[in-house]
Amino acid sequence: MTVSNVSSTPPSLWWRSGAIYQIYPRSFQDSDGDGVGDLEGIIARLDYVADLGVDAIWISPVFPSPMADFGYDVSDYVAIDPMFGSLATFDRVVSEAHRRGLKVILDYVPNHTSDRHPWFIESRSSRDNPKRDWYVWRDAKPDGAAPTNWVSEFGGGAWSWDAPTAQFYYHAFLREQPDLNWRNPEVVAAMHDVLRFWLARGVDGFRVDAVHHLIEDADLTDDPPNPLWREGMAPARRFLRLHSMDRPEVHDAIAGMRAVVDEYGGDRLLIGEAYLPLDRLVLYYGGDLKGFHLPFNFHLITTPWNPTAITALVDAYEAKLPHGAWPNWVLGNHDRSRLASRIGDDQARVAAMLLLTLRGTPTLYQGDEIGMGDVPIPADRIQDPWEKNVPGLGLGRDPVRTPMQWDASDNAGFSSAEPWLPLSRDFAEVNVAAQSAAPGSILSLYRALLALRRAEPALSLGDYAPLIATEEVLAYERRFGPRRLLIVLNLTGRPARIEAPHSRVLLSTGSRRLGEEIAGTMAIAPNEGFIAEFAP
Ligand code: GLC
Ligand code: MG
């Protein structure tokens, strides 16, 4: 069947039709037996990633780092940490990925460096050092207190006192992660050169870390208290961060990054990480869409898992998207509780179908495709500084960063040594090898969904229209030219009934027969999802 050119969708770029797969390198594949994943390990698993059917890998930071925040504390932006490999290995990651048709997206951490970065070492060396103003230094208040009440994301005050130079420096995260001063043009230029360094090496884009933190209020105004904060919530939520986050100036800084990326050709991709309400988030596409191509949309992670809430979210998001902006959806990452633990194994399958059939670029987190869950971490194995600083509230991210489960052999095929984080006890069953051999596995479902998405422009590029939202079932249509697909998802463990349009089943999360004709009142099994083509 030929698809005529009647869709309202703009011409396709790879990242519009493609799916992105996040690799957390410390936990993907270890090749050198130190219990920590590395770049050779990624290369060894590229066939797996390509076979899965995704189009790009995003690799969390692999730059030299003291690892206070596991790579998100960078001490050299233009090198590779020896723990992960070398620049030569990295070049092979790019060429081997490209050879398999996979794009490579790097993590870019512009908000802060490590406190061991030479820039910060210089900056803190004296008040008149030329790099002093590269970071955010301020005097104490007359009574000796910190300049504002701002709280670090990881707990504690966001200002640390530097006794030798008798000033505070600002850090939105750990004290080992001092914030760069993006109001300083030298910082901007240096950080743009970082982008150019990797673009010239052939990377296809960046995921920009914690970008809503990039610039703070210059007047150093206190944040007001958050009336909804309760004991047990993250300390940083104690205040409404009106002055310390998501400042209007950030958009100029993003436009600057985007201009650099655009120097290298039209299909490089810039993604922004910002946890914000939809109204604020969509501003990150930038004026004239000259900001992020994709400001990560994390709202599926936090929206209640029911048809009414999800259809309302999709409608709100679609309605707020600026004209010409491309949507995207995320179900998990290295910072958030895993999908299978949030909504259960059965719904994780339905969620896979949702993620891969909504309009917009999907991002998958490693391990979600085999249904990995959060792994309990014994106290003596805790690594995440957030858990160490603010223990017992469930804020720690180690449970979602445990090693990828490749097979049933020692250490799940991840490493020949004891991994840096404990393995899940279920790895003998929940692993890539076992699931590859099982047609009914969640991995097989992901592969089938990604293959169908690739074959059907209606799924990757087509228009979206909501159809049904009952207590149990969410249904919608994707359309590209004359091609119309129906997606039906039971978001509960209860049986349900819907009125279905006349259509024929293409793919099912469960046992519904492919090719089955459906029409009219029909029963939907608990936890069932399917995709059907409308009868012509
Ligand atoms: C982002 C990262 C997170 C990191 C933080 C500080 O939120 O995803 O892992 O700890 O920024 O860089
Ligand atoms: Mg290693």
Side-chain angles (χ1 to χ4, degrees):
M1 171 183 150
T2 49
V3 174
S4 58
N5 181 27
V6 292
S7 169
S8 57
T9 309
S12 179
L13 291 163
W14 69 265
W15 51 265
R16 288 200 171 122
S17 52
I20 300 168
Y21 183 83
Q22 180 190 358
I23 291 179
Y24 189 73
R26 295 181 60 90
S27 297
F28 195 55
Q29 176 67 57
D30 179 23
S31 75
D32 60 0
D34 62 357
V36 179
D38 44 52
L39 294 177
E40 281 296 349
I42 293 176
I43 294 171
R45 295 296 186 181
L46 283 176
D47 283 337
Y48 166 77
V49 177
D51 287 349
L52 187 59
V54 297
D55 300 82
I57 52 174
W58 147 36
I59 309 175
S60 282
V62 286
F63 318 107
S65 166
M67 300 286 163
D69 189 22
F70 297 103
Y72 285 95
D73 49 323
V74 179
S75 54
D76 182 354
Y77 286 106
V78 290
I80 298 292
D81 195 290
M83 173 184 288
F84 295 120
S86 64
L87 273 175
T89 337
F90 178 77
D91 289 341
R92 282 181 39 248
V93 171
V94 174
S95 59
E96 290 293 316
H98 285 171
R99 204 159 65 73
R100 291 167 176 80
L102 294 168
K103 306 284 186 183
V104 178
I105 297 170
L106 276 187
D107 222 306
Y108 176 62
V109 189
N111 178 67
H112 45 267
T113 67
S114 160
D115 63 344
R116 316 276 178 80
H117 194 294
W119 298 343
F120 188 71
I121 293 173
E122 272 195 58
S123 183
R124 82 185 310 173
S125 65
S126 76
R127 285 204 190 195
D128 50 18
N129 182 276
K131 290 211 167 48
R132 184 67 170 181
D133 184 50
W134 280 41
Y135 293 82
V136 183
W137 290 99
R138 291 290 185 279
D139 292 336
K141 284 186 174 169
D143 65 356
T148 65
N149 66 353
W150 301 346
V151 177
S152 150
E153 288 280 2
F154 294 148
W159 296 94
S160 282
W161 180 248
D162 182 64
T165 60
Q167 277 191 317
F168 281 98
Y169 66 90
Y170 175 69
H171 48 91
F173 294 90
L174 299 174
R175 68 167 66 233
E176 292 89 348
Q177 294 168 294
D179 271 46
L180 282 163
N181 175 16
W182 274 77
R183 296 179 195 275
N184 182 324
E186 291 176 20
V187 168
V188 175
M191 289 304 289
H192 284 182
D193 284 344
V194 170
L195 293 172
R196 291 192 184 94
F197 177 88
W198 296 108
L199 288 163
R201 288 194 109 84
V203 311
D204 302 287
F206 301 93
R207 171 269 191 190
V208 182
D209 184 72
V211 70
H212 49 319
H213 278 294
L214 204 64
I215 297 184
E216 301 75 40
D217 177 6
D219 297 336
L220 297 188
T221 315
D222 276 355
D223 280 331
N226 174 5
L228 298 180
W229 187 86
R230 295 286 173 274
E231 209 59 57
M233 289 168 66
R237 306 265 174 281
R238 195 181 268 272
F239 297 97
L240 296 172
R241 290 175 288 175
L242 305 180
H243 303 287
S244 52
M245 238 178 58
D246 188 28
R247 301 294 303 168
E249 299 91 329
V250 74
H251 297 293
D252 291 336
I254 295 166
M257 296 174 194
R258 170 65 180 274
V260 173
V261 168
D262 284 349
E263 288 168 15
Y264 288 77
D267 71 345
R268 313 265 181 147
L269 172 64
L270 201 60
I271 307 174
E273 186 214 23
Y275 286 88
L276 292 171
L278 289 177
D279 288 313
R280 310 293 303 176
L281 180 66
V282 295
L283 298 177
Y284 283 67
Y285 284 101
D288 298 326
L289 303 183
K290 288 291 185 202
F292 291 117
H293 297 101
L294 303 175
F296 262 148
N297 168 10
F298 298 117
H299 285 265
L300 274 181
I301 298 179
T302 43
T303 298
W305 198 253
N306 67 66
T308 335
I310 291 181
T311 200
L313 166 65
V314 178
D315 288 351
Y317 182 56
E318 288 275 354
K320 288 174 203 284
L321 279 177
H323 183 71
W326 188 252
N328 79 92
W329 297 96
V330 180
L331 276 175
N333 58 38
H334 65 296
D335 294 326
R336 296 289 154 141
S337 176
R338 278 199 184 265
L339 182 64
S341 293
R342 293 199 315 267
I343 61 174
D345 291 342
D346 293 333
Q347 279 299 312
R349 301 169 64 93
V350 180
M353 188 167 274
L354 175 73
L355 177 70
L356 293 171
T357 58
L358 281 175
R359 192 177 84 95
T361 307
T363 300
L364 286 61
Y365 176 46
Q366 81 181 34
D368 280 354
E369 77 275 25
I370 54 170
M372 283 175 63
D374 295 349
V375 179
I377 308 292
D380 61 340
R381 298 289 304 269
I382 290 169
Q383 300 276 356
D384 186 8
W386 199 356
E387 182 65 37
K388 290 182 178 171
N389 287 354
V390 192
L393 301 186
L395 299 170
R397 299 161 297 173
D398 295 328
V400 311
R401 298 175 173 180
T402 62
M404 183 70 181
Q405 295 159 206
W406 295 103
D407 56 41
S409 70
D410 286 353
N411 302 319
F414 164 72
S415 175
S416 57
E418 170 88 9
W420 73 288
L421 278 173
L423 274 158
S424 172
R425 288 167 57 183
D426 66 12
F427 79 82
E429 300 86 44
V430 179
N431 66 62
V432 167
Q435 293 195 11
S436 293
S441 68
I442 185 167
L443 178 58
S444 299
L445 176 65
Y446 265 98
R447 286 191 173 128
L449 283 164
L450 284 157
L452 187 65
R453 204 173 181 280
R454 197 168 268 204
E456 292 278 2
L459 289 181
S460 56
L461 296 171
D463 294 338
Y464 165 91
L467 290 179
I468 298 171
T470 68
E471 293 270 296
E472 288 86 18
V473 175
L474 174 69
Y476 46 91
E477 177 185 339
R478 300 292 311 280
R479 180 199 290 238
F480 191 83
R483 182 73 168 156
R484 298 174 66 191
L485 299 183
L486 167 72
I487 294 92
V488 175
L489 306 168
N490 185 343
L491 300 185
T492 75
R494 303 187 294 271
R497 300 191 85 73
I498 59 161
E499 289 297 318
H502 184 201
S503 52
R504 204 172 62 88
V505 174
L506 292 176
L507 181 58
S508 154
T509 60
S511 54
R512 193 172 288 275
R513 189 172 50 79
L514 305 190
E516 179 185 330
E517 299 252 352
I518 57 175
T521 307
M522 67 176 295
I524 310 292
N527 304 304
E528 175 180 11
F530 66 84
I531 304 172
E533 56 186 347
F534 279 71

